[in-house]
Amino acid sequence: MPPKAKKQKEILQDERLQAIVLTDSFESRFMPLTAVTPRCLLPLANVPLIEYTLEFLANAGVNEVYLMCCNHADQVQEYIDRSKWSDVGSPFKIATIMSLESRSVGDAMRDVDNRGLITGDFILVTGDVVTNMKFDGALEFHKAKKAQDRNHIATMVLTQASPFHRARSKDDSACFILDTTNNRCLYYQDIPNYYLHDKKTKRKKRGNKAITIDPELLEDVDEFAIRNDLIDCRVDICTPHVPQIFQDNFDYQYLRKDFLKGVLSSDLLKKTIYAYITESDYAARVCNWQTYHAISQDIMARWCFPVCPDLSVVDEDDEMTYESRHIYKGSNVVLAQGCKIDGCTMIGSISSVGDGSRVGKSVIGKNVTIGKNVVIENSYVWDNAVIGDNVQLKYSVVANGAQILSGAVLNRDAVVGYNVTVGRNMTLKPNTRISAQRVKYNSGLSDNEDEEDDSLRDEAYVGEEGVGFAYKSDSESDSDTSSDDEDYSDHQFHIMDLKFDSLELSDDESIISATASKKKSRRQSSTMYETDFDEDDEEEENFEKEAIATVERAMENNHDLDTALLELNTLRMSMNVTYHEVRHATSSALLTRINHFVATQTLAVVPAVKKVLDQWGPLYRRQVFEKDEQVDLLNIFQILCSQEDVEPNGASFFFNIVQRLYDMDICEEENILKWWHQNEKAYEGDVKLVQLSAGVKKFVEWLENAEEESEEESD
Amino acid sequence: MEFHAVICCGKGSGLAPFSSVRSTGMPKALLPIANRPMIEYVLEWCDLAPFQNITVVCDPLSAPLIQNALDFYQTKRSADVQKLTSIELVTLSGATGEIFQSLKDKITTDFLVLPCDFMTDLPPQVLIEAYRSRKEGNLGLSVQYYNTVETVEKKNFQPNYTLFAQGKDGHNTLLDMYTKEHVELAKALQVRTHLTWRYPSTVVSTQLLDSFIYICSQKTIGIINSECKNVAAKSCTKLMRDLARRSWRFKEPRGTVGLFVLPKQCSFLRADNLAVYMETNRMLMKEKAKVAALSQQTPATKEKGAAGIGADCLVGDLTVLGERTTLKQRSVVGSNCTVGKRCRITASIILENVTIGDDVVLENTIVGSGAVVHSKSKLLNCNVEGSFVVNKGTSAKGETLLQISLEGLGVDEYESSSEGESGSEGSDYSDFEDDDDFEDDGLFDR
């Protein structure tokens, strides 16, 4: 019987299990260390991170492993070539794929698709997973769901924990909305930690006050759960459709934010993704310093048994012995008589601890020399580091080969990079990061001071004898100010998860853009490009025209939002214009629409603005991302509303639009105020602008007052 | 029992044109189910407990009529029960939330808020027991149910998005509620992030129906009066939702509101729209037929030509049925009616004082009190307003036959007055802060 034979063949094919390991996270949370070493080779409990992932894959019964390497790909390849995984006895075939061009998870997935690596269902995993999970359960779940649901394309493995579990990354906390009957994922929403934001300005908190679920996604669902207590360890079982979908949607960057959300909310794809939730297993991801600390502690406390320092041997020569109170010691460790080792501590081989020193809840690498009367708590000292006498290390990381000279104090959240020397009696401020070479956060916007500065070291940080430069990320200034906050004491090791969120333009920059836009008086705005950029002119004009036509068409024919967004995005990419132009075109089309309603007396101003913006305002969600872009949007509307063709309703349009944008959270209060204060002075002379902004002025005043009230209220 | 029951008698906008939203209608509480005012079923249910005090709340216009009904009910009550409890009528002009204001001195114990339109086979003790075994810090209990009736079209039920936390011990905590309309209007179900941090595993049901039964501790009166604005303009549902939101809106957890979901085995119906109203009638008729079948009374041998009344049908006092008229499929004819000859009445409800001519065919139709249906009419799936006169030979299908009157234009007057939205921009601001998306979302319909 031929058909039967065919069926068997299919099953055979299914059984070969492949795994794609993304060794790069395309983030910069471990900078400046990751400027030197790839993230997946950073040591966790003295073992390179990637080992945990590979160990898990070996236990899961994977046959082929592909490592997608990007940053420092050569180092990863070299490591793998020398490791036991490339030996004859390795449980799987392993190959490193040089995907040097990739800039995001999306790029890597498209590369996977281009190379045609995938033959069947595969495990997609990041190179930083630590888990002891029994994978059979998840795989069976995946197969069962696949049999039931033809549209099933992926199963996410999630572990249940509390929302404030220490191994749950505060940066990546997210809600999964799951159908309670079958665990189908209906929606995904990332929600940055509320308490973290609470510490900062109030406004930030307001920006993310709700999870918004489109009721269309909830049709036919009787009951669903909003889960904010899951650890997403990024272990996904995918069908070959997944890389294809990345290929088809060239704008997908992130696995969750773009891909998962995109697939779930797409009307066209009609694919489903399920979640497999395990309660008893340990699974977590080392994705920032907070989780690095938490997972190190968990491993030592044997929560992840049998993944334990004394059981999983990477280096045959280096055996760990396990003692009570979770103390691990390598071979040839020298401990002075008067030193004290507290619980949950690991000391690598050939390391020595001097007299009167105390080490607790820490990991000490190999060949580390620790002087006398040193206090090390909740800290990580990597191989070959030298710690001088009387040093205090708390909640800090000292990388390979670094030297902390005697008397230095690293009290909180300091990261000392490779081969850095911190001078005598220096005290590092919380959140300091030091690297041996000058490493810049590739923001492209960092201040000029750094470049002009040719000194050999940042003496303020490392002292005269020191070697090293402070590493500054753009968001650092933020956290510096907040770290003075007294309340931080209850957030130990908290700032270690420094956020590298959206880049902020320096103030100067935005003032320039504001003044520039002020100059664009009514008629000029359309003609300005002609004089300034002759060559680009045609293209931009075209874009403006086409984009307006696109939005108008969408409104006319009542397209759905996704289609309009896609069209606009495609247009933007093909014409290579900035988001400013997209916003300008969108706003112009929307305003024309509002004006049309009002001019034909179909609707009054308030309902017209509400109707148009409620339906089409969400377009801005994909056009306005950052603070200054919100300011820009307000400027655009200001210009558009002052044009003659919307007379005499310009002022009331403008006021209502601003108010609506605020209501819809497109423009946050903070940025409305910022925009207002930038422009306020310019209004004084201009009668027209004063008229235009009279309503907005009241609104802004109200905003400022309301803020005070709300502060009182919440206490 | 130490509880105080408050029965809310609304106007019954869902039961138009038979309820008092039309001048020809009667208060919802008095609309008959199987020829008894529906409030009697609620009172009977209360007397199963029995509760110490019963306060019936209604609007001033319907007060005299309802008072009559209450007096009549008193005469039927057994003496034992009468001794234990008292029934009192109070008139309110605002929304049901006004209970918390006007009755704050009267209610001295824990209390129940009840609608006047529910029917259930679940004894009150079950709810009381659920309340008594509530978790610590629970201020009250909201009772909700799944629709178990399959014979009524789904669109007649308006389930909410109900957010609750499932406790491991079986105690559910109500967290928030949104109506479907509100979500559709906003094109989004918005769940506060606050809530997800406090209750990380929140369940949202799209099928739960609000029973409008709330059991509250006496403390809630104080809390609501001190914390809520505009109490009199809000419904109890909304106040309970506000209470529920207190459990996660503040840094320090405050009291919670429990959620009790009626077990699926029990039947629970709220006759707040016409389809369910008919269904409740039928349910009772079915029961009646069952009882009749069990008692094995063979119906008295029928005289030839006499009207045929099905075992599952009911005819009121002083009603005259003409020759060869048949009543089938759980039809109910009220008292004081005159039905002509050769009529076929199937699955219909006829209220009091209705006159029906000869050869009339009624199927799945409700005829309001005092209406006249002239002969040879044929009505299918129709609603005939009270006092309406159906002309001879009318044939209608799926229509609502209304009196032409000026007041018909003002049907919504009552409801809109309490939710009046101020269009002026100045006053909007006060609501901005809080009511932005907490705004009136129609949870309120009485």
Side-chain angles (χ1 to χ4, degrees), chain A residues 431-615:
Chain A
N431 254 323
T432 314
R433 289 154 186 237
I434 300 174
S435 61
Q437 275 85 39
R438 202 179 277 287
V439 178
K440 241 184 288 138
Y441 186 59
N442 59 345
S443 60
L445 288 163
S446 62
D447 3 338
N448 299 330
E449 300 162 78
D450 275 5
E451 281 157 35
E452 288 161 15
D453 181 15
D454 279 332
S455 63
L456 296 167
R457 62 185 78 89
D458 284 345
E459 278 185 21
Y461 291 90
V462 298
E464 284 175 21
E465 312 137 282
V467 178
F469 299 94
Y471 166 77
K472 272 189 188 150
S473 71
D474 281 299
S475 50
E476 192 128 345
S477 50
D478 255 16
S479 40
D480 267 347
T481 51
S482 59
S483 61
D484 296 333
D485 207 328
E486 292 295 317
D487 291 345
Y488 254 86
S489 50
D490 53 303
H491 292 281
Q492 293 273 9
F493 225 76
H494 186 169
I495 326 170
M496 277 241 172
D497 58 80
L498 244 190
K499 293 180 63 64
F500 293 95
D501 47 10
S502 55
L503 310 172
E504 252 179 284
L505 277 174
S506 69
D507 275 352
D508 299 3
E509 199 104 2
S510 45
I511 288 170
I512 291 165
S513 71
T515 45
S517 50
K518 251 184 281 163
K519 278 184 215 147
K520 291 179 204 162
S521 66
R522 279 162 271 145
R523 257 169 299 114
Q524 266 176 354
S525 69
S526 58
T527 53
M528 193 181 150
Y529 302 116
E530 284 174 34
T531 52
D532 283 3
F533 322 96
D534 274 323
E535 286 162 60
D536 296 342
D537 148 50
E538 203 167 318
E539 198 146 76
E540 259 161 35
E541 279 287 297
N542 271 341
F543 172 77
E544 176 105 10
K545 229 189 267 168
E546 287 225 17
I548 291 179
T550 305
V551 180
E552 275 174 353
R553 203 163 50 232
M555 289 191 290
E556 209 65 48
N557 305 337
N558 218 1
H559 286 174
D560 67 313
L561 209 62
D562 287 333
T563 322
L565 272 174
L566 190 70
E567 281 182 26
L568 272 181
N569 212 13
T570 321
L571 207 59
R572 179 181 68 81
M573 289 206 171
S574 64
M575 301 241 183
N576 197 16
V577 294
T578 63
Y579 277 112
H580 171 80
E581 270 80 48
V582 185
R583 285 193 289 272
H584 193 273
T586 313
S587 308
S588 159
L590 294 188
L591 194 66
T592 313
R593 181 80 169 173
I594 295 171
N595 193 35
H596 171 77
F597 278 134
V598 177
T600 57
Q601 298 192 332
T602 326
L603 287 169
V605 177
V606 180
V609 170
K610 188 169 157 49
K611 184 182 155 80
V612 173
L613 280 184
D614 277 0
Q615 194 176 0

Side-chain angles (χ1 to χ4, degrees), chain B residues 51-126:
Chain B
F51 299 120
Q52 230 166 44
N53 298 295
I54 296 176
T55 304
V56 178
V57 176
C58 69
D59 58 312
L61 274 178
S62 30
L65 289 170
I66 292 180
Q67 187 62 53
N68 283 344
L70 293 179
D71 292 345
F72 179 68
Y73 179 74
Q74 287 279 20
T75 62
K76 292 204 291 189
R77 274 171 129 192
S78 73
D80 302 347
V81 176
Q82 267 195 39
K83 261 183 276 168
L84 291 171
T85 78
S86 66
I87 303 182
E88 195 189 0
L89 183 74
V90 171
T91 60
L92 296 182
S93 44
T96 47
E98 209 185 327
I99 295 169
F100 288 91
Q101 269 179 355
S102 314
L103 300 184
K104 68 175 174 221
D105 300 323
K106 283 195 179 143
I107 300 175
T108 50
T109 56
D110 292 357
F111 60 103
L112 288 93
V113 178
L114 302 167
C116 67
D117 56 6
F118 76 94
M119 281 190 82
T120 183
D121 54 5
L122 188 85
Q125 281 82 358
V126 175

Side-chain angles (χ1 to χ4, degrees), chain B residues 322-338:
Chain B
E323 273 174 33
R324 273 187 259 161
T325 283
T326 54
L327 247 60
K328 276 194 286 197
Q329 287 188 21
R330 298 168 194 164
S331 294
V332 180
V333 182
S335 52
N336 242 338
C337 294
T338 316

Side-chain angles (χ1 to χ4, degrees), chain B residues 242-307:
Chain B
D242 288 350
L243 275 185
R245 283 175 175 168
R246 286 171 85 245
S247 60
W248 49 265
R249 278 180 76 180
F250 301 98
K251 265 189 188 149
E252 295 302 317
R254 302 196 187 174
T256 56
V257 174
L259 171 72
F260 182 73
V261 179
L262 295 179
K264 285 195 173 170
Q265 298 90 312
C266 77
S267 77
F268 185 96
L269 278 175
R270 278 190 65 194
D272 57 358
N273 64 59
L274 289 174
V276 185
Y277 173 64
M278 277 195 124
E279 184 59 32
T280 48
N281 267 294
R282 287 176 194 158
M283 245 172 56
L284 286 178
M285 289 300 101
K286 198 171 150 191
E287 282 305 306
K288 177 183 172 251
K290 258 192 209 161
V291 173
L294 281 175
S295 60
Q296 302 227 323
Q297 274 182 357
T298 40
T301 39
K302 216 165 57 172
E303 283 176 47
K304 201 176 176 192

Side-chain angles (χ1 to χ4, degrees), chain A residues 411-427:
Chain A
N411 248 341
R412 208 169 57 200
D413 309 319
V415 178
V416 177
Y418 296 101
N419 303 319
V420 168
T421 306
V422 177
R424 257 173 243 281
N425 301 322
M426 294 301 298
T427 300

Side-chain angles (χ1 to χ4, degrees), chain A residues 163-164 173 191 193-194 198 206 208-213 215 221-229 655 659 663 702, chain B residues 146 161 164 183 187-194 196-197 200-207 251 425 429 432-433 436:
Chain A
F164 300 108
S173 49
I191 42 166
N193 189 305
Y194 152 58
D198 203 13
R206 288 169 135 231
N208 297 313
K209 61 186 170 188
I211 298 166
T212 308
I213 309 169
V221 180
D222 286 354
E223 201 177 89
F224 57 92
I226 301 171
R227 302 290 296 263
N228 188 24
D229 58 347
F655 163 66
Q659 195 183 333
D663 285 354
W702 171 80
Chain B
Y146 291 104
Y161 287 97
F164 60 97
V183 169
K187 290 215 170 83
L189 173 66
Q190 292 200 316
V191 181
R192 298 306 180 98
T193 42
H194 275 56
T196 63
W197 288 108
S201 182
T202 304
V203 179
V204 185
S205 169
T206 59
Q207 296 300 312
K251 265 189 188 149
E425 284 145 2
Y429 289 149
F432 243 86
E433 183 54 43
D436 191 6

Side-chain angles (χ1 to χ4, degrees), chain B residues 8 10 12 15 28 33 38 114-120 143 145 147 149 152 156-158 160 209-214 237 262 267-280 283 443 445-446:
Chain B
C8 304
L15 294 176
K28 172 163 84 165
I33 297 177
M38 61 169 90
L114 302 167
C116 67
D117 56 6
F118 76 94
M119 281 190 82
T120 183
V143 179
Y145 65 107
N147 173 36
V149 184
V152 180
N156 291 306
F157 297 101
Q158 287 157 349
N160 300 313
L209 294 155
D210 187 22
S211 70
F212 203 81
I213 298 180
Y214 308 105
T237 317
L262 295 179
S267 77
F268 185 96
L269 278 175
R270 278 190 65 194
D272 57 358
N273 64 59
L274 289 174
V276 185
Y277 173 64
M278 277 195 124
E279 184 59 32
T280 48
M283 245 172 56
L443 270 169
D445 63 0
R446 60 193 58 241

